[in-house]
Amino acid sequence: LSLSLSLSVPLFSPLSFVQMFELFSFRHARSDYILLADADFLPSPSFVQHYRNGSYLWYNRAPSEEQTSSAEKAAFVVPGFEFLTLPKVSVAVPETKHELVDRVLNRKDIAPFSFTASPLAHKPTDFNKWYTSHEPYGISEYQDKFEPYVVIKKSAAMPMYDERFHSYGMNKVSHIMELAAAGYQFVVLPNVWLIHVPHFESSHKRQFLQDPNERLRNRLTRFEFVVRLMNKYKLESCALVPPNKLN
């Protein structure tokens, strides 16, 4: 495991700190693959090894002539979870998938991330299928509120975050929409996950929730983004992608 730290301090920028960090990380990542996840999530134990095993299984299922293109345009979905109540310091995060599933289904102190607040955001992941899955599987249907955490291969053609989303909201879900429009396949990995670390609400989120003008501006930017996307990728409708071929 290697850690590379960089400091970027723009004097003037309309972007929030989080968005500057996202864009900077995208452009300067030294690894071949990038995990697109918020900093307040912990990866599961042995994440890299389980990711390699899962992606290897999926690549081997594709016909040999499609494996190169599949590697370039695969978005490996990493299911996200959250504590339902603020955990005590003595409460450890799950060490195995079996323990995680038990705490979701039986102990009920952990749940799929944002399941109550935004149920459509992770619905295509199909958590009920993931609980018993031992192999990677493609999502059955993309929908425009889908915003999973994903691992993708870094490339010159990789879509970037849209800098017009310079405050809270819509930047990640819009990026996932562009991955779909660009032909990426969303493949859920069976033995990796992320768990959210509870924290105080950010000032950007509070401002977004309390300011109706800010929310309206954000939605208008979203509409502009969708129009640009349809023109860029020659889309005839917002139904961006068919169900994945590999399920």
Side-chain angles (χ1 to χ4, degrees), residues 144-158:
D144 66 1
K145 291 182 176 60
F146 190 37
E147 52 175 336
Y149 302 102
V150 296
V151 176
I152 60 175
K153 185 174 182 179
K154 186 178 179 183
S155 70
M158 175 183 67

Side-chain angles (χ1 to χ4, degrees), residues 65-77:
E65 65 274 10
E66 295 181 9
Q67 287 182 5
T68 300
S69 60
S70 295
E72 293 292 334
K73 288 197 170 183
F76 290 104
V77 175

Side-chain angles (χ1 to χ4, degrees), residues 168-186:
Y168 182 88
M170 292 294 174
N171 57 331
K172 184 159 70 73
V173 69
S174 297
H175 181 250
I176 292 296
M177 176 180 280
E178 181 154 8
L179 291 180
Y184 278 72
Q185 279 195 302
F186 296 98

Side-chain angles (χ1 to χ4, degrees), residues 8-142:
S8 176
V9 186
L11 296 179
F12 301 100
S13 174
L15 301 179
S16 70
F17 172 79
V18 172
Q19 287 160 314
M20 285 190 292
F21 183 77
E22 289 169 342
L23 290 165
F24 188 84
S25 300
F26 249 133
R27 291 166 179 158
H28 296 276
R30 298 180 181 180
S31 57
D32 293 332
Y33 290 84
I34 305 172
L35 169 61
L36 304 181
D38 298 332
D40 51 1
F41 278 83
L42 290 175
S44 53
S46 303
F47 183 96
V48 173
Q49 185 59 50
H50 287 304
Y51 162 75
R52 287 173 176 166
N53 293 343
S55 60
Y56 177 80
L57 285 173
W58 182 75
Y59 289 142
N60 279 352
R61 291 170 60 186
S64 57
E65 65 274 10
E66 295 181 9
Q67 287 182 5
T68 300
S69 60
S70 295
E72 293 292 334
K73 288 197 170 183
F76 290 104
V77 175
V78 181
F81 294 85
E82 64 182 344
F83 289 100
L84 291 179
T85 58
L86 187 65
K88 297 179 180 179
V89 175
S90 59
V91 176
V93 298
E95 290 293 323
T96 65
K97 180 175 178 178
H98 176 78
E99 180 187 353
L100 173 66
V101 173
D102 178 66
R103 291 177 68 170
V104 172
L105 300 181
N106 299 317
R107 293 172 56 180
K108 300 186 184 302
D109 64 329
I110 293 176
F113 183 69
S114 200
F115 184 75
T116 301
S118 184
L120 296 179
H122 298 275
K123 183 178 179 180
T125 299
D126 193 350
F127 285 92
N128 286 330
K129 182 174 183 176
W130 185 83
Y131 296 148
T132 59
S133 178
H134 300 288
E135 293 188 352
Y137 59 91
I139 65 168
S140 60
E141 185 178 5
Y142 169 85

Side-chain angles (χ1 to χ4, degrees), residues 152-238:
I152 60 175
K153 185 174 182 179
K154 186 178 179 183
S155 70
M158 175 183 67
M160 302 287 287
Y161 280 98
D162 193 305
E163 296 186 25
R164 286 174 298 180
F165 295 100
H166 56 74
S167 184
Y168 182 88
M170 292 294 174
N171 57 331
K172 184 159 70 73
V173 69
S174 297
H175 181 250
I176 292 296
M177 176 180 280
E178 181 154 8
L179 291 180
Y184 278 72
Q185 279 195 302
F186 296 98
V187 180
V188 185
L189 294 177
N191 293 311
V192 294
W193 66 89
L194 300 168
I195 189 160
H196 183 250
V197 178
H199 59 79
F200 291 111
E201 193 173 76
S202 70
S203 59
H204 287 290
K205 183 175 182 178
R206 286 197 301 272
Q207 178 184 353
F208 179 80
L209 293 176
Q210 296 171 5
D211 187 344
N213 291 326
E214 181 67 15
R215 294 198 302 275
L216 177 59
R217 182 207 60 77
N218 183 262
R219 292 303 184 269
L220 290 174
T221 303
R222 167 75 162 180
F223 292 140
E224 292 172 356
F225 170 83
V226 172
V227 171
R228 181 191 68 83
L229 209 64
M230 295 179 70
N231 291 330
K232 179 179 178 179
Y233 294 98
K234 305 297 189 293
L235 302 173
E236 296 182 357
S237 73
C238 290

